[in-house]
Amino acid sequence: MKKIIPFFVVVALLILFQSFSTHKKTISILVFSKTKGFRHNSINDGKTAIAKLGKAHRFLVDTTENAALFTENNLKKYAAVIFLNTTGDVLDDQQQKAFEQYIQAGGGYVGIHAATDTEYDWPWYGKLAGAYFMSHPAVQEAKFIVKNRKHPATSFLKDSVWIHKDELYNFKDINPDINVLLTIDENSYTGGKNGKFHPFSWYHNFDGGRAFYTSMGHTKETWTDKLFLIHLYGGILYAIDRK
């Protein structure tokens, strides 16, 4: 005898399926690129590249330089917020509080390059980002040492050394709780000031949320580098809590 599924069960299943599908389709990230100091001429290249990543991997990308969007209600829409080459004091006290609440509620943060040259008077942000910018030499090629290949931001790298050309930051106030993915070999270039331990990309759980940072992303050429884009996408996956 054929079993008849009650109508209300069918409706419930349809609602559940629709809700699941909608959830999958509405993963959104916010790319924030406001500057109050040096402005990188690669910011537009970064926005374009991240939008292409979103299109390829089916997440929505909003871009803004309007700090007024940092409110509790608006930030709830985003699985992660990317600070793309931000510089200086870009959020006021109220906006800072809203962003702290967003992270504490489980939000994700991705910092790219000059994100560490941002908000020096906001210690919470410094710990979230993982360090502050100190200085940099001229753009040059260097050897990056892979310290962790289990993370999506580095799992694609087959070799233990990654050769990459970029602006190579020196850091201060490094958060000891970060999990380092890449370090830079200071013997491979001129101008390093962090010594034997010079982290360049990392991640960590922080204050209820997830944070990923890569110091790559200064040059326009970086934003068409396939390895860098895979690296960045892996960091975004971590920040939005997806495998």
Side-chain angles (χ1 to χ4, degrees):
M1 183 176 180
K2 190 179 291 186
K3 291 184 178 180
I4 299 176
I5 301 176
F7 178 73
F8 74 89
V9 174
V10 174
V11 172
L13 288 172
L14 286 172
I15 293 173
L16 181 62
F17 177 76
Q18 185 178 16
S19 175
F20 177 73
S21 299
T22 302
H23 175 73
K24 286 189 72 177
K25 292 179 181 178
T26 56
I27 291 176
S28 301
I29 63 171
L30 178 65
V31 178
F32 182 56
S33 54
K34 182 179 178 179
T35 57
K36 281 294 191 73
F38 179 82
R39 185 170 181 84
H40 286 75
N41 65 5
S42 63
I43 285 177
N44 285 338
D45 300 86
K47 291 179 183 178
T48 299
I50 295 169
K52 288 181 179 178
L53 281 178
K55 186 175 182 179
H57 299 286
R58 299 182 181 180
F59 59 86
L60 301 179
V61 178
D62 290 339
T63 64
T64 190
E65 299 201 355
N66 182 9
L69 296 181
F70 277 68
T71 65
E72 182 179 0
N73 286 335
N74 189 57
L75 291 176
K76 286 178 181 178
K77 299 189 299 186
Y78 300 106
V81 179
I82 297 178
F83 277 55
L84 170 61
N85 279 328
T86 52
T87 55
D89 187 4
V90 292
L91 300 176
D92 65 22
D93 291 346
Q94 188 174 357
Q95 293 155 1
Q96 289 177 3
K97 183 178 180 181
F99 190 57
E100 288 182 9
Q101 291 173 336
Y102 165 77
I103 293 296
Q104 290 162 356
Y109 164 87
V110 174
I112 299 174
H113 193 56
T116 49
D117 189 22
T118 302
E119 294 289 355
Y120 291 94
D121 296 327
W122 184 15
W124 180 92
Y125 177 82
K127 292 178 180 179
L128 171 74
Y132 281 121
F133 164 81
M134 180 170 63
S135 63
H136 67 79
V139 173
Q140 55 194 295
E141 189 175 86
K143 291 181 180 179
F144 295 88
I145 311 302
V146 181
K147 308 301 288 187
N148 180 343
R149 201 176 278 107
K150 295 180 179 180
H151 192 276
T154 48
S155 60
F156 65 96
L157 294 168
K158 296 180 180 179
D159 300 322
S160 60
V161 175
W162 181 5
I163 307 298
H164 177 75
K165 184 177 182 179
D166 217 313
E167 187 175 68
L168 309 172
Y169 275 8
N170 297 305
F171 296 104
K172 63 182 180 180
D173 301 331
I174 298 173
N175 185 340
D177 295 329
I178 60 173
N179 302 299
V180 177
L181 296 169
L182 299 172
T183 60
I184 188 168
D185 180 358
E186 291 195 353
N187 293 320
S188 66
Y189 72 103
T190 302
K193 294 186 178 181
N194 282 111
K196 292 183 178 180
F197 179 69
H198 189 156
F200 217 73
S201 178
W202 53 77
Y203 72 98
H204 63 140
N205 293 329
F206 178 77
D207 202 16
R210 297 164 305 283
F212 167 82
Y213 173 79
T214 179
S215 191
M216 298 176 180
H218 171 82
T219 68
K220 286 175 172 288
E221 292 77 13
T222 298
W223 289 102
T224 57
D225 183 326
K226 291 182 180 180
L227 289 181
F228 167 73
L229 293 174
I230 297 171
H231 169 63
L232 175 60
Y233 176 58
I236 293 172
L237 284 178
Y238 167 75
I240 66 176
D241 199 21
R242 296 289 188 276
K243 294 183 179 178

